[in-house]
Amino acid sequence: MEPSPLELPADTVRRIASELRCHPTDERVALRLDEEDKLRHFRECFYIPKMQDLPPIDLSLVNKDEEAIYFLGNSLGLQPKTVKTYLEEELDKWAKMGAYGHDVGKRPWIIGDETILGLMTDIVGANEKEIALMNGLTVNLHLLLLSFFKPTPKRYKILLEAKAFPSDHYAIESQLQLHGLNIEKSMRLIKPREGEETLRLEDILEIIENEGDSIAVILFSGLHFYTGQLFNMPAITKAGQAKGCLVGFDLAHAVGNVELHLHEWGVDFACWCSYKYLNTGAGGLAGAFVHEKHAYTIKPALVGWFGHELSTRFKMDNKLQLIPGVNGFRISNPPILLVCSLHASLEIFRQATMKALRRKSVLLTGYLEYMIKHHFSQDKAETKKTVVNIITPSRIEDRGCQLTLTFSIPIKYIFQELEKRGVVCDKRDPNGIRVAPVPLYNSFHDVYKFINLLISALDSAETKVAEFSIAT
């Protein structure tokens, strides 16, 4: 399955088709790719929803016993099978020994988060002392901004994408208001060029160079939730810091999706959620990163008991001994039931490794892109057939596993028809359908089946659009 370092996914698909003496879109290519996939057994570590259990399913269109095509790991990852076991272990411990559970077992509750920190290091590219597992993403973002955003009369702006995720946008607005700043003047939004969907790196770097002296903090998504664009984090970090800015990232759509090297890149701070690619379930335990260079210089603005050194925490003398670095930002005790689901998922990541997952992901999404372009691109489409555009960047270095698709007919009908056929994806305004084949549990055959279901869904959607046009 693994392409050579110089072999693009499309070339791999064509090479395998040539070996099999079939067309690149033939089912046999997908089956061969799965056969050669060294990570395929990890699918067995997850519960894959069945067609019959999906609320919008039309059982007349599917085999109810088949597994769904789950391409929504960018919104909510699937459940690792060991989650239930780990939860039951802690519930059983609580039932049998009560408060003694704080100190015993493989996840003593008092240090439950710390027991799994080592499993996060490879995923975000940081050492244990630079990582804290706590709260939800936006809570962590607020805590970090309270410490990293220190506006002055000359340096008072926060730089971000114009179409950042709403939660980031609101967090930044409220932080600016907290400092009594004018939002319009202090919130520097970068928009794509006219007629383009994604941001050009040169445009980002130009703004940093020209306006950097007035920018206090640069806060970007690692990977954009709507377009699927993967930003060049090392380049943005280097450029921002060269102008005296502090640089942070919201890694909600990057963590567990692409390789990260936060320490090596010199990123100042970052935060992420865990319920997407890290598969911890809705509201899972989030994470935060503060580079070790700030361990003794940037301190939390809000402090709680769990930011106190464990060795003296129970002296109760109210003399704070703050843990240096990001773990001093912890306010409350770790929610052990949330630790369990994160633990279950991170163990799978440790076995699979981010390097191998990314390698598969490049080929898996590349295969999806190849199939979409073959069947639905403008030059292939008949005059009256729906055209499917991919707004996610085509360069491998500029995207993760997600592709965002736009269509020449209203997506409402297409999305409904996909749901009826057991395709789990989502739609996002203004006009995108996001599909994300996840390398941990999605297969190349999933992609092949998705394409056929999309063809069928488009046929039905086109009929509905035509009927609506006649009726009006």
Side-chain angles (χ1 to χ4, degrees):
M1 179 195 79
E2 295 176 17
S4 72
L6 299 176
E7 189 175 51
L8 294 171
D11 295 328
T12 304
V13 171
R14 284 189 283 262
R15 174 175 56 78
I16 289 175
S18 176
E19 291 170 6
L20 295 172
R21 298 184 178 182
C22 65
H23 194 273
T25 60
D26 193 287
E27 184 177 18
R28 284 174 287 175
V29 173
L31 295 174
R32 171 64 67 85
L33 286 166
D34 279 332
E35 198 177 288
E36 296 181 0
D37 175 16
K38 294 176 182 176
L39 303 179
R40 65 184 182 277
H41 62 285
F42 286 108
R43 182 181 175 96
E44 301 305 315
C45 297
F46 294 86
Y47 290 109
I48 313 293
K50 292 278 196 281
M51 293 283 193
Q52 63 187 357
D53 296 321
L54 303 178
I57 203 73
D58 182 340
L59 292 174
S60 70
L61 297 173
V62 300
N63 177 342
K64 66 181 179 67
D65 298 316
E66 281 189 5
E67 291 176 335
I69 307 300
Y70 195 88
F71 279 1
L72 197 51
N74 58 315
S75 182
L76 184 73
L78 292 179
Q79 183 187 139
K81 291 179 179 177
T82 49
V83 167
K84 187 179 289 188
T85 301
Y86 288 4
L87 285 170
E88 287 174 348
E89 286 173 358
E90 299 310 320
L91 291 172
D92 190 53
K93 187 164 67 173
W94 180 23
K96 289 181 176 177
M97 62 179 72
Y100 290 104
H102 283 298
D103 304 306
V104 301
K106 61 182 176 183
R107 285 175 297 269
W109 302 335
I110 204 79
I111 54 166
D113 55 334
E114 297 174 51
T115 63
I116 61 172
L117 276 178
L119 297 172
M120 276 299 309
T121 55
D122 176 56
I123 295 173
V124 297
N127 64 56
E128 287 189 33
K129 290 184 178 180
E130 294 175 309
I131 303 167
L133 302 174
M134 59 185 187
N135 310 316
L137 187 156
T138 311
V139 173
N140 288 337
L141 180 56
H142 274 300
L143 292 175
L144 291 166
L145 285 174
L146 284 170
S147 294
F148 281 87
F149 180 53
K150 299 293 185 183
T152 67
K154 289 186 178 180
R155 195 183 285 275
Y156 56 90
K157 295 177 186 174
I158 297 180
L159 178 69
L160 70 158
E161 324 97 281
K163 293 292 179 82
F165 192 77
S167 194
D168 287 3
H169 192 98
Y170 302 152
I172 290 171
E173 276 188 342
S174 61
Q175 289 283 332
L176 294 170
Q177 289 170 334
L178 190 65
H179 288 279
L181 294 168
N182 181 296
I183 290 173
E184 205 170 294
K185 292 179 180 177
S186 303
M187 198 170 183
R188 180 59 169 97
L189 303 173
I190 304 183
K191 297 178 181 179
R193 294 186 187 185
E194 189 71 32
E196 297 183 1
E197 296 278 359
T198 55
L199 290 165
R200 297 191 188 190
L201 178 62
E202 60 262 34
D203 293 347
I204 299 170
L205 299 183
E206 184 181 2
I207 288 172
I208 293 171
E209 177 60 32
N210 293 340
E211 302 181 33
D213 292 339
S214 64
I215 296 169
V217 167
I218 296 168
L219 181 70
F220 258 73
S221 308
L223 192 145
H224 195 267
F225 81 99
Y226 179 70
T227 65
Q229 178 180 10
L230 173 60
F231 291 110
N232 189 328
M233 290 178 265
I236 293 169
T237 301
K238 184 178 179 181
Q241 292 173 347
K243 297 295 287 188
C245 313
L246 290 165
V247 184
F249 292 95
D250 172 350
L251 302 173
H253 286 265
V255 70
N257 180 9
V258 297
E259 288 186 88
L260 299 169
H261 303 282
L262 299 180
H263 176 86
E264 181 186 321
W265 295 339
V267 171
D268 292 299
F269 67 95
C271 51
W272 58 88
C273 57
S274 64
Y275 51 82
K276 302 179 192 300
Y277 296 105
L278 294 185
N279 315 299
T280 61
L285 190 61
F289 163 89
V290 172
H291 198 283
E292 67 178 6
K293 64 189 173 186
H294 298 302
Y296 294 94
T297 54
I298 292 185
K299 296 181 179 180
L302 302 175
V303 178
W305 195 37
F306 269 70
H308 187 114
E309 290 279 8
L310 179 60
S311 59
T312 56
R313 190 179 298 161
F314 285 87
K315 281 189 174 181
M316 309 293 193
D317 59 5
N318 290 346
K319 295 176 182 177
L320 178 65
Q321 290 187 346
L322 189 69
I323 301 170
V326 72
N327 278 285
F329 283 71
R330 294 181 303 167
I331 290 175
S332 302
N333 55 320
I336 195 63
L337 299 183
L338 298 185
V339 168
C340 289
S341 57
L342 182 55
H343 188 186
S345 180
L346 294 184
E347 285 186 331
I348 300 171
F349 274 92
R350 172 56 62 90
Q351 294 173 52
T353 75
M354 277 307 304
K355 186 173 287 295
L357 286 167
R358 176 61 172 158
R359 195 183 305 123
K360 175 182 173 180
S361 181
V362 165
L363 185 53
L364 188 63
T365 296
Y367 176 53
L368 173 62
E369 178 187 42
Y370 181 90
M371 294 289 275
I372 289 170
K373 286 184 173 179
H374 174 82
H375 287 285
F376 307 111
S377 63
Q378 181 77 55
D379 56 332
K380 296 279 184 182
E382 298 171 25
T383 311
K384 293 183 180 179
K385 284 290 181 183
T386 302
V387 176
V388 182
N389 289 312
I390 301 171
I391 66 170
T392 306
S394 58
R395 288 182 74 243
I396 288 165
E397 299 84 359
D398 296 333
R399 70 184 186 200
C401 73
Q402 172 188 319
L403 294 182
T404 301
L405 314 178
T406 61
F407 300 81
S408 56
I409 64 173
I411 62 170
K412 176 177 73 171
Y413 301 110
I414 301 166
F415 185 69
Q416 288 172 352
E417 293 300 326
L418 284 171
E419 283 194 313
K420 287 180 184 178
R421 289 161 173 78
V423 175
V424 185
C425 56
D426 69 7
K427 58 183 172 70
R428 285 288 180 266
D429 289 336
N431 62 341
I433 288 181
R434 305 187 302 174
V435 289
V438 172
L440 262 181
Y441 49 73
N442 282 127
S443 67
F444 292 89
H445 200 236
D446 280 343
V447 171
Y448 175 82
K449 288 189 286 188
F450 166 75
I451 293 296
N452 285 290
L453 291 169
L454 180 57
I455 291 169
S456 171
L458 286 175
D459 285 343
S460 295
E462 285 162 4
T463 301
K464 283 186 177 181
V465 170
E467 289 172 351
F468 180 78
S469 299
I470 293 168
T472 54

